[in-house]
């Protein structure tokens, strides 16, 4: 799937794209943020990577900046498996799930979601946007919809939605801070908190759950053009699909 500035697609273990993805994970989560201990592993090119036991039960996605080819964002979806989800080991989930049919064998986890530093909103010392600012460069400019949508976030959550519909995965959990969850809710992604804030992680986060069906309902009522964007054909290849 492509937007004006980015290509979004699934990456397959054993490919060069997958190594780019693991290298980007290391740079963000180990080196920059320090949230994950470096596993001491390296790609075939000799660069450090970040990986963990959940990767084998996950589907993995990246966003590439079309003009430069660099990785602009990435994420994985931990699929239901006998070992459970990452959030179940690190957070308290003590509230009844808001969907009566949500059972353990139907819930996945949105994990390792990040935008690489160059593509986050940044400003110069004079307060003016610089190259890579998402408000100026990363927008959906379709007539009739709100401008300045965060294109990278929408594109990656589109991959989540498509995967859910293709695999029958009706629910996903995610650990997020309150600010990001409010942003996603405003965009039409109805995440519901299912546990308390964990103050021992920085920034402090809690577990949320989202329903693909409820997302369709909310987007259909408020942002029909975004729902149409979410429902376009998924590209699942090692290389980005050509623009149609």
């Amino acid at each position: 799937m492509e937007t004006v500035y980015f290509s979004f697609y699934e990456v397959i273990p054993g490919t060069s794209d997958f190594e780019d993805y693991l290298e980007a994970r290391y740079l963000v989560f180990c080196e920059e943020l320090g949230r994950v201990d470096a596993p001491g592993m390296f790609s075939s090119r000799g660069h450090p990577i970040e990986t963990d036991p959940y990767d084998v039960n996950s589907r993995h996605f990246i966003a590439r900046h079309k003009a430069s080819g660099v990785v602009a964002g990435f994420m994985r979806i931990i699929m239901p498996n006998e070992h459970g989800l990452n959030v179940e080991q690190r957070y308290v989930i003590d509230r009844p799930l808001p969907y009566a049919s949500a059972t353990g064998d139907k819930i996945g986890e949105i994990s390792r979601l990040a935008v690489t530093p160059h593509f986050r909103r940044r400003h110069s010392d004079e307060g003016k946007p610089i190259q890579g600012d998402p408000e100026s460069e990363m927008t959906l400019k379709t007539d009739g919809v709100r401008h300045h949508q965060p294109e990278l976030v929408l594109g990656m959550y589109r991959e989540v939605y498509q995967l859910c519909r293709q695999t029958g995965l009706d629910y996903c959990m995610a650990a997020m801070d309150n600010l990001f969850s409010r942003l996603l809710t405003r965009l039409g992604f109805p995440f519901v908190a299912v546990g308390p804030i964990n103050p021992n992680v920085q920034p402090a986060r809690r577990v949320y759950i989202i329903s693909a069906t409820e997302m369709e309902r909310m987007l259909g009522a408020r942002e029909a053009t975004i729902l149409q964007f979410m429902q376009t054909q998924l590209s699942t290849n090692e290389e980005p699909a050509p623009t149609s």
Side-chain angles (χ1 to χ4, degrees):
M1 167 264 178
E2 295 195 354
T3 60
V4 174
Y5 296 101
F6 302 100
S7 299
F8 302 83
Y9 55 101
E10 184 173 359
V11 292
I12 308 302
T15 65
S16 61
D17 279 335
F18 191 74
E19 290 200 331
D20 288 345
Y21 156 74
L22 295 181
E23 289 174 6
R25 276 174 46 174
Y26 173 85
L27 290 173
V28 171
F29 288 103
C30 299
E31 189 169 278
E32 180 192 2
L33 301 178
R35 292 183 189 171
V36 180
D37 292 334
M41 301 175 67
F42 298 85
S43 68
S44 64
R45 294 169 287 213
H47 300 152
I49 61 174
E50 190 275 306
T51 184
D52 68 17
Y54 293 99
D55 280 339
V56 70
N57 293 310
S58 300
R59 303 278 291 270
H60 308 270
F61 299 86
I62 63 172
R64 282 196 188 276
H65 186 231
K66 290 163 68 174
S68 65
V70 302
V71 176
F74 53 85
M75 69 175 180
R76 70 181 177 189
I77 310 300
I78 303 174
M79 302 299 288
N81 68 88
E82 62 182 0
H83 303 294
L85 305 176
N86 192 23
V87 291
E88 295 172 327
Q89 309 301 319
R90 303 172 60 228
Y91 294 86
V92 174
I93 301 173
D94 63 356
R95 302 184 185 181
L97 296 184
Y99 310 107
S101 61
T103 56
D105 62 345
K106 299 180 69 175
I107 300 177
E109 179 185 343
I110 302 165
S111 174
R112 294 296 193 267
L113 172 64
V115 173
T116 54
H118 181 70
F119 294 94
R120 300 180 198 142
R121 184 186 304 183
R122 297 180 298 168
H123 294 80
S124 66
D125 292 338
E126 293 78 18
K128 297 180 181 179
I130 61 176
Q131 184 178 9
D133 172 65
E135 291 296 333
S136 60
E137 285 200 309
M138 308 170 192
T139 58
L140 289 172
K141 297 182 179 295
T142 308
D143 290 340
V145 300
R146 187 170 42 200
H147 285 185
H148 306 301
Q149 299 286 10
E151 182 178 325
L152 273 167
V153 173
L154 283 176
M156 286 190 281
Y157 270 89
R158 177 190 178 281
E159 303 301 304
V160 174
Y161 170 78
Q162 290 279 348
L163 181 65
C164 287
R165 284 313 190 212
Q166 288 180 358
T167 64
L169 188 65
D170 292 328
Y171 308 94
C172 278
M173 289 187 177
M176 296 183 289
D177 61 52
N178 288 337
L179 180 63
F180 191 45
S181 67
R182 288 197 298 269
L183 167 65
L184 291 172
T185 299
R186 287 198 302 269
L187 292 175
F189 298 89
F191 279 93
V192 179
V194 292
I197 291 175
N198 181 355
N200 298 317
V201 296
Q202 293 298 324
R205 297 185 293 279
R206 69 201 314 171
V207 178
Y208 294 80
I209 191 171
I210 190 170
S211 157
T213 299
E214 182 63 15
M215 187 186 73
E216 289 175 352
R217 186 195 67 77
M218 183 173 286
L219 285 175
R222 293 173 41 190
E223 298 284 2
T225 306
I226 295 180
L227 178 58
Q228 183 180 20
F229 167 81
M230 301 291 286
Q231 292 178 330
T232 53
Q233 181 62 37
L234 174 68
S235 171
T236 309
N237 294 294
E238 180 186 351
E239 300 297 331
T243 305
S244 57

